[in-house]
Amino acid sequence: AGIPSDNAVSGKGEDVSGFLRKQRGGLESELRAQRPEAPEELVRGLARRIEARRPTGVPRLALAGAMSALMLVALGSVGGISYAANAAKQAAVVVQKAVAPTAQNATIQVTGLNAGGDQYRPGFGFGDPNHNHTGPPGLNRGGAGAAAPPVRARNAPGGKAKFVSFAIVLDEQAALRIWVLNPKGKRVLLTQGKGANIGTGIKGPQTKLLRYTVRVPRAIPITLRIPANLLRAGGTYRVRVQATDPEGNKTFLTVPFSAS
């Protein structure tokens, strides 16, 4: 007898593999056919228990809140919340710096002023570097400087007082001190209320020195109320404005006016 060839040996191997597959397939079929099944009563009982424990009518709002909480936890684990907060803060700083006046003779439109906004407005704490610069504050008369028209006192209703009105522009936060000097260089008594304002109405007793803190750099309209008997017709008076920034740098502005 001769030695079998490679083709003959290969053929036998394929026959054996096919036989094993048939045997295994038959065994699996037999096991599936004889597998035990749970009683129908047990299946129904389990279904009733699951149905009884399942919450009904879950509010969509609660579901949305749960999903939001999961998202926040996921963001927090990778620093996403911190990144978003820092990005928003940087964007706010860019906007603030873009709109803040830098030139001392800049002209700003006055809109929606109120004293409370200066004193307590969030994000404008006195000394915040985003609203200040090195050196003394830029302070001038409404952006016009020396070209501003002369100021004249006008009669207040009733004739017992006179109004002196003008505007100033600040390019950084500052504490204002405002007073009026007569021709002899002495301070004049000022009335608060009854039409007097720094940005908006000011209230309080009569005084020779007005104080006001500016936290939002901008143009600020000022109206001073002076008892009429303290101003002489034809006399030249001076309003002195002192602006002190958070670092203690000071700028002075003199606004002369005439009484008629």
Side-chain angles (χ1 to χ4, degrees), residues 65-203:
M67 294 299 294
S68 300
L70 290 174
M71 292 176 65
L72 289 175
V73 171
L75 285 172
S77 64
V78 298
I81 296 176
S82 176
Y83 176 82
N86 289 335
K89 181 178 180 181
Q90 292 298 324
V93 169
V94 170
V95 172
Q96 290 165 1
K97 289 185 176 180
V99 301
T102 55
Q104 293 189 5
N105 61 350
T107 300
I108 307 174
Q109 184 178 3
V110 180
T111 58
L113 300 178
N114 68 80
D118 263 337
Q119 302 297 325
Y120 309 110
R121 181 170 175 177
F124 286 84
F126 196 65
D128 190 326
N130 291 324
H131 314 294
N132 295 286
H133 57 71
T134 58
L139 173 64
N140 61 70
R141 275 193 57 195
V151 177
R152 295 182 182 277
R154 70 182 192 279
N155 291 327
K160 294 183 179 181
K162 292 185 179 292
F163 286 137
V164 177
S165 301
F166 58 95
I168 62 172
V169 172
L170 275 169
D171 68 354
E172 69 171 328
Q173 294 177 333
L176 297 182
R177 302 291 183 268
I178 302 173
W179 64 94
V180 175
L181 299 175
N182 65 18
K184 295 182 179 180
K186 294 183 179 181
R187 293 188 181 184
V188 174
L189 195 65
L190 303 175
T191 301
Q192 301 190 80
K194 300 181 180 180
N197 69 73
I198 303 176
T200 57
I202 54 177
K203 297 180 180 180

Side-chain angles (χ1 to χ4, degrees), residues 3-259:
I3 298 175
S5 66
D6 292 339
N7 291 336
V9 174
S10 175
K12 290 181 179 180
E14 291 176 357
D15 293 341
V16 172
S17 298
F19 173 77
L20 291 176
R21 282 196 298 272
K22 291 179 180 180
Q23 292 295 322
R24 184 171 58 192
L27 179 60
E28 290 178 356
S29 299
E30 185 175 354
L31 288 174
R32 287 195 185 95
Q34 297 181 6
R35 67 184 176 184
E37 295 184 359
E40 184 176 354
E41 184 177 354
L42 176 61
V43 173
R44 292 180 178 178
L46 292 174
R48 285 194 297 269
R49 290 183 182 180
I50 294 174
E51 186 68 22
R53 293 183 179 181
R54 187 179 65 181
T56 59
V58 179
R60 293 185 178 181
L61 183 59
L63 180 59
M67 294 299 294
S68 300
L70 290 174
M71 292 176 65
L72 289 175
V73 171
L75 285 172
S77 64
V78 298
I81 296 176
S82 176
Y83 176 82
N86 289 335
K89 181 178 180 181
Q90 292 298 324
V93 169
V94 170
V95 172
Q96 290 165 1
K97 289 185 176 180
V99 301
T102 55
Q104 293 189 5
N105 61 350
T107 300
I108 307 174
Q109 184 178 3
V110 180
T111 58
L113 300 178
N114 68 80
D118 263 337
Q119 302 297 325
Y120 309 110
R121 181 170 175 177
F124 286 84
F126 196 65
D128 190 326
N130 291 324
H131 314 294
N132 295 286
H133 57 71
T134 58
L139 173 64
N140 61 70
R141 275 193 57 195
V151 177
R152 295 182 182 277
R154 70 182 192 279
N155 291 327
K160 294 183 179 181
K162 292 185 179 292
F163 286 137
V164 177
S165 301
F166 58 95
I168 62 172
V169 172
L170 275 169
D171 68 354
E172 69 171 328
Q173 294 177 333
L176 297 182
R177 302 291 183 268
I178 302 173
W179 64 94
V180 175
L181 299 175
N182 65 18
K184 295 182 179 180
K186 294 183 179 181
R187 293 188 181 184
V188 174
L189 195 65
L190 303 175
T191 301
Q192 301 190 80
K194 300 181 180 180
N197 69 73
I198 303 176
T200 57
I202 54 177
K203 297 180 180 180
Q206 287 185 316
T207 180
K208 292 183 178 182
L209 178 65
L210 297 174
R211 301 172 184 268
Y212 187 82
T213 300
V214 177
R215 296 175 184 265
V216 185
R218 63 181 191 272
I220 302 174
I222 297 174
T223 296
L224 304 178
R225 183 183 177 97
I226 307 171
N229 62 334
L230 299 181
L231 299 178
R232 293 183 179 180
T236 299
Y237 297 79
R238 292 172 293 160
V239 179
R240 290 282 285 170
V241 181
Q242 173 188 310
T244 306
D245 70 11
E247 297 179 351
N249 300 307
K250 297 180 181 180
T251 301
F252 291 88
L253 175 67
T254 299
V255 181
F257 69 93
S258 60

